[in-house]
Amino acid sequence: MSVGVTCALRWDRAGSDATAGTKDSGNRRKEDDDLMSKESTGGSSLPDCSHACGPCSPCRRVMVSFKCTIAESCPIVYRCMCKGKYYHINLWLQPYHFSTIHGGFTASSLLLRASSGTMGFLMEDLPEELLVNIVRRIDQTADRNSISLVSKRLYAIDGEQRDFLRVGCGLHPAIEALTSLCIRFPNIKKLEIVYSGWMSNLGKQLDNQGLFVLSSNCHSLTELTLSFCSFINDSGLAYLSSCRNLRSLKLNFAPAISSNGILSLVVGCKNLSALHLIRCMKVSSVEWLEYLGKLGKLEDLSIKNCRAISEHDLTKLGPGWNNLKRLEFEMDAYYRYPKIYDSSSVEKWLMHQGSYKNLRELSLVNCIIAPGRGLSYLLGRCEALERLHLDMCIAVEDTDMIALSQKSRNLTSMSIRLPSQFLAPVFLSSPLRLTDESLKALAINCSMLEVFELSFSDGEFPSFNCFSQSGILALVQTCPIRVLVLDSACFFNDSGMEALSSSPYLQTLKLIKCQEVTDKGMQLIQRCPLLTNLNLRKCLGVTDSGLKPLIGLRKLKYLKVEDCPQISEKGVQGTAMFISYKQESSWLY
């Protein structure tokens, strides 16, 4: 009984050098052939399958599937070709598996060589299970498209296994092309239709009829994104209500869609757990939000620049707050002041005071957080909050931050972008009152805080009554801060860099427009024990001399320098394993 070829699809040796894949394709092909020859002649002894199907001649046995991880035995399946049966054994093999390391077989190269017979077996010898496994491991769309052209079997398997598509201006004619795609890929779960940059000469956009085709053919659809789809209105969303498995809908600039369309969709799609509305100007009344609140399945809600929706409308979610885990609310900066605010809305926020306990991620942009307003109350009631992002929010006070720190003790990431006090004309009589007291409260109560980002909207006119360098350093020295980002922090200087050099947890430091930091402070950064990532952007005080101690030190893994006019491309060479350098001086003028 003859023994067939055992094949390794692609390998990743433990401790291999990531740069070893720079050889030319000719040498790589030769190494592949040598490996295959070695595996076929000197490999492990293969079991005799005569006990299962009886002695037969001729007989070929080939490895048809395997799954292995580092330092584990690989379950191998051999097939007796004459009887078409499968027999499982366990062999100890080197950790050969799919990876992105250069130098081994890619899944596509394996299939191409199999189709030509150069691997020692033919494509028809490979069972469906192995081919499906290979296709699933190919992530890049271009590679998937290439694989599907190898054979009819792979074309069919790719059609069955493809679960994500992203289409847009190239979809022409739109209805016919989408129909073909739905037939070709019937098991699509995630679809993105993006018409960014569309012009009339590119052909007609997808309209309501396209969504009818989609709902009629793609019954497995769970995630749908519609961006810049100007010809889809409420009737189109009504077609989607038949997509019972739809769990996520993202609408980005859908000018023809109103509240009625959203309501018809949420009534039909009762499993909807994520809803993103971005620049949907006609969405006003929020009956749909009340309905989602009653269903209680919404976990992710994002509303950005929908001018007709205010913070007061969020209370309509009602009991749905109990299940909400992520909230992203962004007001249009030019429409936040004219809103007539109903002071009684605070009472409605109070009605659900025990419902915010599951909120883990909160992002508020261009909002007014002031005493007597609902968002101020929300900020201090999120027990499970882990990530907080406050961007250009007006009238935030120390009391808000202290209440937040006392309630949200699981906070791991905080990002704050503060407006200049000159950008808040309504509150000139009561300027921003965020001081180091807020940072001290965070340091005392939020012992899990790992990421802290602080930026000012205008470096020339910062908020004077605000954080100081000592407050930032107290936070870094008390909490296990791994990532620190400072943008336009005019108070941060070389003394602060000296204090950071002894930070025991800091791994990533990003400085943007920190003009008080000079070479003296930058030279101290080499002392920071765990620092591996350094990002400098628009820092005028740092020159090549500041980075010189890092040359040849092999301390940094990543160094990114952008628009720092006194740092040359030559000055960054040898400072890190991976270097990104970009110089654009137009921002100075």
Side-chain angles (χ1 to χ4, degrees), residues 231-248:
F231 294 89
I232 293 177
N233 56 31
D234 295 342
S235 299
L237 284 192
Y239 290 133
L240 291 178
S241 62
S242 62
C243 297
R244 305 301 182 186
N245 294 318
L246 192 66
R247 289 177 171 80
S248 174

Side-chain angles (χ1 to χ4, degrees), residues 57-72:
S57 180
C59 179
R60 290 185 300 163
R61 290 174 299 182
V62 295
M63 182 178 71
V64 295
S65 68
F66 69 85
K67 178 181 179 182
C68 68
T69 57
I70 300 298
E72 288 187 4

Side-chain angles (χ1 to χ4, degrees), residues 135-434:
V135 171
R136 283 177 178 174
R137 293 170 182 261
I138 300 175
D139 298 324
Q140 299 298 322
T141 301
D143 292 339
R144 277 286 189 100
N145 295 338
S146 299
I147 284 296
S148 66
L149 301 176
V150 172
S151 69
K152 291 182 179 180
R153 289 185 69 194
L154 288 173
Y155 183 84
I157 290 174
D158 179 45
E160 290 291 329
Q161 298 298 320
R162 188 83 68 103
D163 60 1
F164 168 72
L165 279 181
R166 188 176 193 270
V167 297
C169 297
L171 201 65
H172 182 71
I175 301 299
E176 291 81 352
L178 183 62
T179 303
S180 298
L181 287 174
C182 290
I183 296 173
R184 169 84 171 86
F185 307 108
N187 298 319
I188 286 296
K189 295 182 179 180
K190 182 178 179 181
L191 176 63
E192 296 181 2
I193 302 176
V194 182
Y195 278 101
S196 177
W198 176 84
M199 294 182 291
S200 58
N201 61 342
L202 297 176
K204 187 179 179 181
Q205 275 195 21
L206 198 70
D207 56 14
N208 296 332
Q209 187 63 25
L211 294 190
F212 173 75
V213 171
L214 187 64
S215 62
S216 302
N217 293 276
C218 298
H219 303 293
S220 300
L221 190 66
T222 59
E223 299 181 41
L224 176 63
T225 299
L226 303 176
S227 293
F228 301 96
C229 297
S230 304
F231 294 89
I232 293 177
N233 56 31
D234 295 342
S235 299
L237 284 192
Y239 290 133
L240 291 178
S241 62
S242 62
C243 297
R244 305 301 182 186
N245 294 318
L246 192 66
R247 289 177 171 80
S248 174
L249 176 65
K250 299 179 181 180
L251 300 177
N252 181 13
F253 189 72
I257 292 177
S258 70
S259 301
N260 294 330
I262 302 294
L263 180 60
S264 65
L265 182 132
V266 299
V267 169
C269 303
K270 298 186 183 300
N271 291 317
L272 198 68
S273 61
L275 178 62
H276 292 198
L277 303 178
I278 305 172
R279 289 181 290 176
C280 297
M281 304 304 180
K282 292 183 67 175
V283 178
S284 54
S285 60
V286 287
E287 289 86 355
W288 52 272
L289 195 56
E290 293 182 20
Y291 190 86
L292 285 172
K294 293 177 182 179
L295 284 179
K297 292 187 177 181
L298 191 67
E299 297 181 357
D300 182 357
L301 176 62
S302 178
I303 300 175
K304 293 183 178 181
N305 295 321
C306 298
R307 296 174 181 173
I309 302 177
S310 68
E311 63 185 71
H312 168 69
D313 295 322
L314 295 178
T315 61
K316 303 292 181 62
L317 190 59
W321 281 99
N322 285 306
N323 201 49
L324 196 67
K325 296 179 180 178
R326 180 180 180 273
L327 174 63
E328 190 173 15
F329 186 68
E330 179 175 343
M331 292 285 295
D332 189 317
Y334 296 101
Y335 283 79
R336 56 183 169 188
Y337 298 118
K339 287 282 183 184
I340 299 176
Y341 187 73
D342 183 7
S343 58
S344 64
S345 67
V346 177
E347 298 178 1
K348 296 180 180 179
W349 286 96
L350 289 172
M351 291 173 57
H352 310 293
Q353 59 181 334
S355 303
Y356 314 127
K357 58 183 178 181
N358 291 320
L359 196 64
R360 290 178 170 82
E361 185 174 346
L362 177 62
S363 176
L364 301 175
V365 182
N366 294 326
C367 296
I368 298 176
I369 303 176
R373 298 184 71 107
L375 291 179
S376 175
Y377 183 82
L378 173 66
L379 207 59
R381 298 296 187 278
C382 303
E383 297 180 12
L385 194 65
E386 298 175 357
R387 299 173 61 87
L388 175 65
H389 176 67
L390 299 178
D391 190 344
M392 300 292 286
C393 291
I394 301 298
V396 186
E397 298 184 356
D398 279 340
T399 54
D400 298 315
M401 301 301 290
I402 293 173
L404 168 75
S405 67
Q406 293 173 345
K407 200 70 174 179
S408 306
R409 295 180 180 269
N410 294 326
L411 197 66
T412 61
S413 175
M414 172 177 282
S415 174
I416 305 177
R417 182 168 176 248
L418 295 174
S420 165
Q421 58 189 17
F422 300 100
L423 299 179
V426 173
F427 296 97
L428 279 178
S429 60
S430 178
L432 295 175
R433 285 167 292 193
L434 275 179

